[in-house]
Amino acid sequence: MGIQVYGFWRSIASFRVRVALKLKGLPFEEIPIDILSGEQFEPGYAAVNAERVVPTFIHDGHSVYQSLAIIEYLDDIHPTPRLIPEDVKERAYARSLALMTIADAHPLVTPRVRNHLAEAFGADAKAIEAWGRHWTTEGLATYERLLARRAPAPFALGAEPGIADICIAGQVVTAQYLKLGLDAFPAVAVLAGRCFEMPAFATSHPFEQPGFKTASAPH
Amino acid sequence: MGIQVYGFWRSIASFRVRVALKLKGLPFEEIPIDILSGEQFEPGYAAVNAERVVPTFIHDGHSVYQSLAIIEYLDDIHPTPRLIPEDVKERAYARSLALMTIADAHPLVTPRVRNHLAEAFGADAKAIEAWGRHWTTEGLATYERLLARRAPAPFALGAEPGIADICIAGQVVTAQYLKLGLDAFPAVAVLAGRCFEMPAFATSHPFEQPGFKTASAPH
């Protein structure tokens, strides 16, 4: 049955899973769920994912939810190359870095949050964009401070990219959505540049997905 | 040197770490950082935690950030009792459940977010409370749907409490802050009730911390 991922071209959590699968060389089928139009709330997908979010990872009929849990699961079932280091302290550092965007920066800028800002506070597009820029900048600044303490060599934890790099690259994609420059975050910019030189990252970029190309085609 | 945790009585992420340490029987010293008054942004703590959030876990001089990374680290260095199951599919389910509050529900109701709603949209206390209730209800509803699919026996993954129970209990504490009843979430209520019967949970509850007792004492 192989691997299926319910995802969306624009979803940063879907991007993380896409990169992880490609770094490991695991073939998968991505089934698009349009979270901008609210397809995740329709009964069909609600039966797949009780939280009504993407991504959902399905492996031989077994479902895993949440990008970090999915990537940990991939490391468990297919440990080469490892995306989370084996050394206990390094594992902890990698997960700490990953969670700074997964648990703090990124949750604040998802479509459901942007929509609710409009509903609850009457926020207009400009105010919602400013909100996104605020939290995305906070996340970038945290990463810049940490990468300055321990210089990437050449990736966040060493010679090969892993969960931390995937998460930082996703934070940079969010910055691209918001047209935020990275001049104030040079270590982040260098690290993301190295990531996107690799096909696993480059071909996983939201703007390289079929859904983006359809969405941005002339009508 | 032992274990130190920079935390705050009201912080749900600090609660999670407190419970994990107590379930494992590991003694620790909790150093309070008042995130309501902004102490996390002062230079002293900014040097401890580059993200300027609590908790920070320090073990023999080694720092770990982010509650989930800390609990994974505790399972690595002190595996008895395990808080994350050994079975690969069960590990994935436990982490999926944990991340539903860590990565989706809880980040939306932290003090920095509540403060920024006031700054960015002029939200008053009532509107900020409604925002918190909205997202906290979403998180509770997700847990209720999942626990209905796989009944707790008696804890989320089996006979002993683990990371998923810790995270669901934290979500229930957030509901208590917001005076949200659990009538619509009976499986969550039963699970949280079982958790708080255990001393590790009960003594970790924010309202049992010295900081809460000081903050709520008559002036």
Side-chain angles (χ1 to χ4, degrees), chain B residues 83-137:
Chain B
L83 301 179
I84 299 164
E86 281 195 279
D87 174 81
V88 170
K89 288 183 181 174
E90 289 292 272
R91 290 167 85 71
Y93 184 57
R95 289 180 176 130
S96 296
L97 284 171
L99 284 157
M100 286 167 191
T101 189
I102 290 176
D104 286 333
H106 179 251
L108 299 169
V109 301
T110 57
R112 66 196 184 110
V113 172
R114 299 200 306 271
N115 291 340
H116 194 61
L117 288 171
E119 287 162 24
F121 304 110
D124 61 15
K126 198 178 156 187
I128 292 169
E129 187 171 295
W131 167 275
R133 286 172 167 243
H134 174 83
W135 295 116
T136 302
T137 301

Side-chain angles (χ1 to χ4, degrees), chain A residues 149, chain B residues 40-52 56 63 65:
Chain A
R149 286 187 191 179
Chain B
Q40 72 272 38
F41 301 114
E42 291 174 12
Y45 188 65
V48 169
N49 184 303
E51 196 184 4
R52 300 156 192 186
T56 301
S63 298
Y65 319 104

Side-chain angles (χ1 to χ4, degrees), chain A residues 40-108:
Chain A
Q40 72 274 35
F41 301 114
E42 292 173 13
Y45 188 65
V48 170
N49 185 303
E51 197 183 4
R52 298 157 193 187
V53 296
V54 292
T56 300
F57 171 92
I58 302 182
H59 174 231
D60 288 344
H62 174 69
S63 298
V64 184
Y65 319 104
Q66 292 284 338
S67 65
L68 181 57
I70 295 166
I71 295 171
E72 296 262 9
Y73 180 76
L74 289 174
D75 249 25
D76 279 342
I77 64 167
H78 196 282
T80 308
R82 292 196 73 87
L83 301 179
I84 299 164
E86 281 196 278
D87 175 80
V88 170
K89 287 184 181 174
E90 289 292 272
R91 291 168 83 71
Y93 184 56
R95 290 179 175 130
S96 296
L97 284 171
L99 284 158
M100 286 167 190
T101 188
I102 290 175
D104 286 334
H106 179 252
L108 299 169

Side-chain angles (χ1 to χ4, degrees), chain B residues 56-101:
Chain B
T56 301
F57 172 91
I58 302 181
H59 174 231
D60 287 344
H62 173 69
S63 298
V64 184
Y65 319 104
Q66 293 284 339
S67 64
L68 180 58
I70 295 166
I71 295 171
E72 295 263 9
Y73 181 76
L74 288 174
D75 250 24
D76 278 342
I77 63 167
H78 197 282
T80 309
R82 293 196 72 86
L83 301 179
I84 299 164
E86 281 195 279
D87 174 81
V88 170
K89 288 183 181 174
E90 289 292 272
R91 290 167 85 71
Y93 184 57
R95 289 180 176 130
S96 296
L97 284 171
L99 284 157
M100 286 167 191
T101 189

Side-chain angles (χ1 to χ4, degrees), chain B:
Chain B
M1 291 171 66
I3 294 173
Q4 281 120 27
V5 180
Y6 288 87
F8 185 58
W9 67 266
R10 199 181 196 288
S11 153
I12 299 297
S14 301
F15 163 79
R16 293 182 202 125
V17 170
R18 217 179 274 140
V19 177
L21 286 162
K22 291 187 179 192
L23 285 171
K24 287 179 181 289
L26 295 171
F28 63 100
E29 175 196 8
E30 186 164 331
I31 304 161
I33 298 294
D34 184 347
I35 61 170
L36 292 177
S37 74
E39 191 179 354
Q40 72 272 38
F41 301 114
E42 291 174 12
Y45 188 65
V48 169
N49 184 303
E51 196 184 4
R52 300 156 192 186
V53 295
V54 291
T56 301
F57 172 91
I58 302 181
H59 174 231
D60 287 344
H62 173 69
S63 298
V64 184
Y65 319 104
Q66 293 284 339
S67 64
L68 180 58
I70 295 166
I71 295 171
E72 295 263 9
Y73 181 76
L74 288 174
D75 250 24
D76 278 342
I77 63 167
H78 197 282
T80 309
R82 293 196 72 86
L83 301 179
I84 299 164
E86 281 195 279
D87 174 81
V88 170
K89 288 183 181 174
E90 289 292 272
R91 290 167 85 71
Y93 184 57
R95 289 180 176 130
S96 296
L97 284 171
L99 284 157
M100 286 167 191
T101 189
I102 290 176
D104 286 333
H106 179 251
L108 299 169
V109 301
T110 57
R112 66 196 184 110
V113 172
R114 299 200 306 271
N115 291 340
H116 194 61
L117 288 171
E119 287 162 24
F121 304 110
D124 61 15
K126 198 178 156 187
I128 292 169
E129 187 171 295
W131 167 275
R133 286 172 167 243
H134 174 83
W135 295 116
T136 302
T137 301
E138 290 282 305
L140 293 167
T142 295
Y143 282 132
E144 186 67 23
R145 288 192 290 266
L146 282 161
L147 296 179
R149 286 187 192 180
R150 174 176 163 172
F155 293 99
L157 276 93
E160 300 295 335
I163 181 76
D165 307 284
I166 292 172
C167 289
I168 295 170
Q171 181 72 12
V172 167
V173 175
T174 304
Q176 292 170 350
Y177 290 161
L178 293 160
K179 300 188 170 53
L180 274 171
L182 297 181
D183 289 353
F185 314 109
V188 171
V190 167
L191 182 69
R194 279 185 198 126
C195 289
F196 285 108
E197 281 170 10
M198 298 183 70
F201 285 82
T203 63
S204 296
H205 193 292
F207 298 159
E208 296 301 320
Q209 305 315 302
F212 169 74
K213 292 174 181 173
T214 307
S216 52
H219 293 285

